[in-house]
């Protein structure tokens, strides 16, 4: 059976969201550095290496953001399904009517079966 620890999943999703934000900040900072270096002479090689690093960082950012969104959607879907199950079980409260139970005398049947 599939189950998750809801609180831990929500905390992990929040942690990933902070990482995505931090990576976005670093990417902006890197873009600013590249712009500044391009204005200087003899900086073609360092700028190219920084562009390469920027592309890798952009890829990692995209992957992490997709993972965060998938985890978030999974947690929301799981919690929603769990709530639907709880609601459904609470709505199906059945009251059974009290019934009288009598005692039957099967001695006559026992005599018939034994051949008497």
């Amino acid at each position: 059976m599939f189950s998750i620890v809801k609180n831990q999943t929500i905390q992990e999703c929040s942690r990933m969201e902070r990482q995505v934000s931090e990576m976005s900040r670093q990417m902006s900072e890197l873009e600013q550095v590249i712009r500044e270096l391009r204005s200087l002479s003899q900086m073609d090689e360092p700028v190219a290496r920084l562009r390469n690093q920027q592309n890798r960082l952009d890829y990692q950012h995209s992957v992490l953001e997709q993972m965060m969104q998938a985890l978030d959607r999974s947690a929301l879907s799981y919690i929603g399904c769990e709530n639907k199950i709880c609601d459904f079980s609470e709505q199906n409260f059945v009251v059974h009517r009290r019934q009288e139970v009598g005692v039957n005398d099967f001695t006559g049947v026992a005599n018939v079966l034994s051949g008497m």
Side-chain angles (χ1 to χ4, degrees):
M1 184 170 148
F2 177 77
S3 66
I4 62 172
V5 179
K6 291 182 289 190
N7 292 339
Q8 185 178 3
T9 305
I10 292 168
Q11 288 174 355
E12 189 61 31
C13 192
S14 296
R15 189 178 70 79
M16 289 175 81
E17 188 175 8
R18 286 190 301 273
Q19 287 178 335
V20 166
S21 296
E22 177 62 24
M23 285 181 83
S24 294
R25 188 191 62 75
Q26 289 176 358
M27 288 170 60
S28 296
E29 196 173 299
L30 183 58
E31 181 61 37
Q32 184 179 359
V33 167
I34 290 172
R35 268 185 274 150
E36 293 292 325
L37 286 177
R38 279 194 348 215
S39 66
L40 300 173
S41 62
Q42 303 294 320
M43 288 292 162
D44 293 338
E45 186 181 331
V47 167
R49 282 187 276 149
L50 287 174
R51 283 277 182 213
N52 188 26
Q53 185 67 25
Q54 184 183 31
N55 291 337
R56 284 188 288 191
L57 190 60
D58 187 43
Y59 176 76
Q60 290 175 351
H61 178 266
S62 297
V63 169
L64 186 61
E65 190 170 32
Q66 289 173 2
M67 288 171 52
M68 177 197 67
Q69 290 173 354
L71 184 61
D72 186 45
R73 287 181 188 145
S74 297
L76 289 174
S77 181
Y78 182 84
I79 291 168
C81 288
E82 193 175 69
N83 289 339
K84 284 179 187 177
I85 291 170
C86 290
D87 290 345
F88 182 75
S89 65
E90 288 172 0
Q91 289 175 1
N92 286 328
F93 185 78
V94 178
V95 178
H96 295 282
R97 216 177 67 218
R98 184 178 148 180
Q99 297 180 356
E100 301 248 348
V101 178
V103 178
N104 293 322
D105 184 18
F106 292 112
T107 56
V109 175
N111 290 338
V112 171
L113 291 176
S114 65
M116 294 186 158

